[in-house]
Amino acid sequence: MIGGLAQHGHGKEALRVFNQMLKYGVSPNQITLVSVLCACNHAGLVTEAQKYFRSMKELFGFERTQEHYACMIDLLGRAGRLDEAMELVNTMPFQADGSVWGALLGAARIHKNVEIGQRAAEMLLILEPEKSGTHILLANIYASVGMWNNVAKMRRLMKDCNVKKEPGVSWIEVKDKIYTFIAGDRSHVRSEEIYAKLDELSERLGKAGYIPKVEFDLHDVERDEKEKLLYHHSEKLAVAFGLIATPAGAPIRVKKNLRVCMDCHTAFKFISKIVSREIILRDINRYHHFKDGSCSCGDYW
């Protein structure tokens, strides 16, 4: 229950269930506390997480594990407290593993911190050289601050090391049939309608105040071209199809094999309000419920 509530962004509800569990005398174990810290992480509850993290031994009688540290470092990083996160890495009683450095790299991407991003990526390339995500996240950090030479170097490194980027794929189920989309996909039989819907949404989004997050696109092209590439991401195509293929007012449910991109996350908040629809997106990390212009994750993702 605690883990499920955490995945859907209901951090406070997850903590309520945890406190109820303690009240009824059910002893938590180390896995329970991982779920509790994840719940705090998904809702940005830094103070609550620190309370449980710092007093784990005193309250529950067990030592903090690598997973507990990774959750706490991820939470501090997402909250913009990167110096505290880095200090925790440096004072851990054991060697940081890939989950810890991955959490730091993700936080560095969110807050465009090149120095910490490079440090985390260096360690990940030693610990997990086969994972393409490290190269992509570091390239994203470079792109977000306009360091295009470094983006090009990362691409060359990926090519030289034969590291393949996993393509983003999104799925939507309509009338018991699964429809799959990749970025720029025009293979669908209703492709013209899908792109027409995206054009319509683009105009309405602009009037509503949405500004495409072009700094997270890795292509060194003009802004107009970047915006076009962002509009054709797989999850946007799936949502556009959902809008034309499902009844008015029905929720749209989409799955993606990778983490939802920051631009799509922002766009879906606007779209949910503009079209008065709930959009439920399940990415590789968690569920996002977009409704009335906001997301259940509270932008802690």
Side-chain angles (χ1 to χ4, degrees):
M1 284 294 294
I2 294 166
L5 287 164
Q7 275 207 317
H8 286 273
H10 304 300
K12 290 182 179 178
E13 180 69 9
L15 292 185
R16 189 190 68 77
V17 172
F18 178 59
N19 288 325
Q20 195 173 13
M21 173 184 168
L22 298 178
K23 179 183 173 183
Y24 287 117
V26 181
S27 298
N29 58 23
Q30 290 174 321
I31 303 302
T32 316
L33 265 295
V34 170
S35 294
V36 168
L37 292 177
C38 283
C40 293
N41 191 359
H42 286 318
L45 304 173
V46 179
T47 303
E48 292 85 344
Q50 286 179 322
K51 180 183 101 175
Y52 291 121
F53 181 76
R54 289 169 178 166
S55 55
M56 209 174 286
K57 175 75 173 176
E58 178 188 332
L59 291 176
F60 310 115
F62 47 77
E63 300 291 343
R64 293 174 291 200
T65 68
Q66 187 95 268
E67 280 187 283
H68 297 128
Y69 275 92
C71 284
M72 200 65 219
I73 289 162
D74 194 27
L75 174 65
L76 290 169
R78 288 178 190 277
R81 295 158 70 162
L82 285 162
D83 289 341
E84 290 177 63
M86 200 71 219
E87 185 182 345
L88 201 54
V89 173
N90 294 331
T91 56
M92 284 170 61
F94 29 66
Q95 201 74 22
D97 65 2
S99 65
V100 169
W101 290 114
L104 265 181
L105 180 59
R109 184 196 63 79
I110 293 168
H111 298 288
K112 304 179 186 180
N113 190 308
V114 175
E115 184 182 348
I116 288 179
Q118 286 176 327
R119 170 70 177 139
E122 283 172 11
M123 295 306 299
L124 281 167
L125 290 173
I126 294 169
L127 293 168
E128 302 171 344
E130 75 287 350
K131 288 194 175 181
S132 63
T134 302
H135 301 79
I136 301 301
L137 280 174
L138 186 55
N140 264 307
I141 296 171
Y142 289 143
S144 70
V145 294
M147 297 173 67
W148 294 107
N149 286 339
N150 292 51
V151 173
K153 284 178 185 175
M154 289 308 300
R155 282 181 164 167
R156 283 196 297 272
L157 179 62
M158 288 178 69
K159 188 176 180 181
D160 293 343
C161 297
N162 200 30
V163 175
K164 304 291 184 184
K165 179 184 182 293
E166 184 180 1
V169 182
S170 296
W171 301 267
I172 183 170
E173 182 177 347
V174 177
K175 295 180 180 177
D176 299 324
K177 187 175 178 181
I178 305 291
Y179 296 88
T180 305
F181 295 90
I182 59 172
D185 199 341
R186 292 184 181 270
S187 62
H188 196 281
V189 291
R190 299 182 69 178
S191 187
E192 284 190 24
E193 293 176 77
I194 291 169
Y195 280 88
K197 174 57 73 173
L198 284 174
D199 289 340
E200 176 203 323
L201 287 172
S202 171
E203 189 175 333
R204 295 177 69 184
L205 284 168
K207 289 177 181 177
Y210 160 75
I211 299 171
K213 294 189 174 294
V214 296
E215 67 269 24
F216 292 102
D217 182 83
L218 294 183
H219 300 88
D220 190 8
V221 294
E222 294 299 318
R223 183 182 177 88
D224 288 351
E225 186 63 26
K226 282 179 179 286
E227 289 184 11
K228 190 182 293 183
L229 290 166
L230 288 172
Y231 270 119
H232 298 168
H233 277 191
S234 66
E235 55 266 59
K236 287 197 183 83
L237 293 172
V239 166
F241 175 62
L243 288 171
I244 65 174
T246 59
I252 295 169
R253 294 179 173 85
V254 173
K255 293 181 181 177
K256 188 179 181 184
N257 65 326
L258 303 176
R259 189 174 181 270
V260 60
C261 92
M262 193 164 287
D263 179 73
C264 287
H265 191 273
T266 302
F268 291 156
K269 288 194 291 183
F270 278 91
I271 292 170
S272 69
K273 188 170 186 177
I274 288 170
V275 301
S276 300
R277 294 257 209 142
E278 183 177 9
I279 300 168
I280 303 162
L281 175 67
R282 172 70 167 103
D283 70 5
I284 197 170
N285 288 336
R286 60 176 298 161
Y287 286 87
H288 295 268
H289 296 255
F290 301 93
K291 191 174 182 179
D292 297 326
S294 62
C295 179
S296 59
C297 74
D299 296 337
Y300 278 92
W301 56 287

